[in-house]
Amino acid sequence: MTEMNLKHIAIIMDGNGRWAQSRSHERIWGHIRGSRIVSKIVEEADELGAKALTLYAFSTENWSRPVGEVTVLFKLLKKFLLKERSRILKNNIQFTVMGDTSKLPDKTKSLIASLEEDSKNNTGLMLTFAFGYGGRDEIVQATNKFIKENPGKELTEELLQSYLLMPQLGDVDLLIRTGGDQRISNFLLWQSAYAELYFTETKWPDFTRGEFRKIVEFVSKRERRFGNICSSDLESSKLMAVENKETITNL
Ligand code: IPE
Ligand code: IPE
Ligand code: MG
């Protein structure tokens, strides 16, 4: 297998509520079913050779949802931590939760802290749950921290990046959103500046390892130009530069 060029994959796991409602169930049923998919996608990301997988599990805006739904999402996070802990450690995964977890129950907070601590020296996939996370909030926090620690100094792109919550994750290479909507919803705003975007109609509970693999294979073939021109044009433009000299001078 050739080396995977999409090192950091981020997923907006959307569509749980609509998945349940279209089956005449409560929205929370969709969250329960959706939570069962997560470990399969983590495994697939690892097998595909990604270095980092960041999953959007709860946004700063999701606080506006009914308390009952928020409570279910908290409980599902706790369940995931209990159920997946041994597998995460066995598979050499580094686990982190990024975002404001202060309102989570103490038991869940301690489960997170212990898994983060016990997996911190693992060298495999960096698995990050964005929980209580907002991209704007992250940028504002990073900026404020920088100003406090470096009064009077000018902020640069590199410095801001180093003050983000998880600088080691680097830029997002591929951002996938399930559920059919085509927006970013305040996820990894800074890190996704040059991400390849992929929106699928599939709602999160129906998302599979197979579809994930197909998306990765499809996007791997796209040429990423980062503001440059495509590599074959670059070669021919070097040759043409000599011939075009006169035209350019006469412009
Ligand atoms: C995504 O599914 C999960 C979270 C936001 C926590 P939704 O709950 O947003 O499902 P839809 O988009 O309403 O179908
Ligand atoms: C984004 O989904 C957040 C997560 C998947 C955790 P939302 O369903 O909250 O996004 P909007 O409100 O449709 O933009
Ligand atoms: Mg949604």
Side-chain angles (χ1 to χ4, degrees):
M1 200 175 118
T2 51
E3 212 202 316
M4 165 79 153
N5 60 355
L6 305 169
K7 306 246 175 285
H8 183 186
I9 301 176
I11 308 182
I12 302 174
M13 308 182 290
D14 195 29
N16 292 347
R18 282 166 288 156
W19 183 91
Q21 283 162 334
S22 69
R23 287 161 178 78
S24 309
H25 286 300
E26 295 283 326
R27 293 177 51 82
I28 58 163
W29 180 241
H31 295 314
I32 294 166
R33 290 298 289 263
S35 69
R36 294 190 199 158
I37 315 298
V38 177
S39 60
K40 297 190 183 118
I41 300 305
V42 173
E43 250 174 42
E44 188 64 31
D46 207 5
E47 279 180 26
L48 286 165
K51 299 272 175 279
L53 177 69
T54 308
L55 300 174
Y56 207 6
F58 191 85
S59 72
T60 44
E61 289 72 24
N62 290 148
W63 282 115
S64 59
R65 295 197 179 196
V67 182
E69 187 169 337
V70 171
T71 310
V72 167
L73 292 167
F74 282 10
K75 286 197 170 165
L76 289 170
L77 173 64
K78 183 179 169 196
K79 206 171 160 194
F80 178 89
L81 294 162
L82 288 166
K83 200 164 156 265
E84 297 300 324
R85 183 189 155 85
S86 57
R87 204 190 326 211
I88 285 172
L89 296 175
K90 193 179 97 213
N91 291 336
N92 195 25
I93 292 172
Q94 294 172 64
F95 178 82
T96 315
V97 174
M98 158 174 93
D100 179 8
T101 53
S102 60
K103 293 197 187 80
L104 285 171
D106 288 343
K107 173 73 186 154
T108 313
K109 278 193 262 189
S110 69
L111 286 170
I112 293 172
S114 102
L115 187 50
E116 284 181 342
E117 176 61 26
D118 295 344
S119 70
K120 74 169 190 239
N121 294 322
N122 286 351
T123 53
L125 181 75
M126 291 188 275
L127 171 63
T128 308
F129 270 29
F131 204 100
Y133 173 86
R136 286 183 172 175
D137 181 52
E138 181 184 27
I139 294 169
V140 169
Q141 269 191 56
T143 311
N144 281 332
K145 192 158 178 250
F146 172 83
I147 294 168
K148 215 169 170 189
E149 290 178 13
N150 306 277
K153 203 171 159 191
E154 199 170 312
L155 189 55
T156 62
E157 290 188 12
E158 288 72 23
L159 282 166
L160 178 52
Q161 142 76 21
S162 73
Y163 275 79
L164 295 176
L165 293 170
M166 298 277 294
Q168 65 273 40
L169 299 179
D171 282 349
V172 173
D173 296 300
L174 167 61
L175 174 61
I176 299 172
R177 182 179 186 133
T178 63
D181 288 323
Q182 304 197 357
R183 55 177 171 263
I184 295 179
S185 300
N186 204 12
F187 192 35
L188 300 171
L189 297 180
W190 180 272
Q191 300 86 334
S192 298
Y194 254 104
E196 295 295 324
L197 306 179
Y198 193 98
F199 301 99
T200 171
E201 288 296 321
T202 309
K203 296 182 181 68
W204 178 251
D206 283 333
F207 197 58
T208 59
R209 290 175 71 129
E211 182 174 2
F212 183 32
R213 180 174 284 266
K214 275 200 191 122
I215 294 170
V216 167
E217 283 168 0
F218 175 75
V219 175
S220 300
K221 293 189 191 112
R222 284 187 194 162
E223 185 178 31
R224 304 183 71 198
R225 293 189 286 280
F226 298 102
N228 208 329
I229 59 175
C230 75
S231 47
S232 56
D233 286 351
L234 203 59
E235 278 312 304
S236 51
S237 77
K238 278 183 200 152
L239 300 171
M240 300 229 316
V242 185
E243 294 163 26
N244 285 344
K245 215 169 166 191
E246 201 179 330
T247 323
I248 296 165
T249 323
N250 293 336
L251 270 181

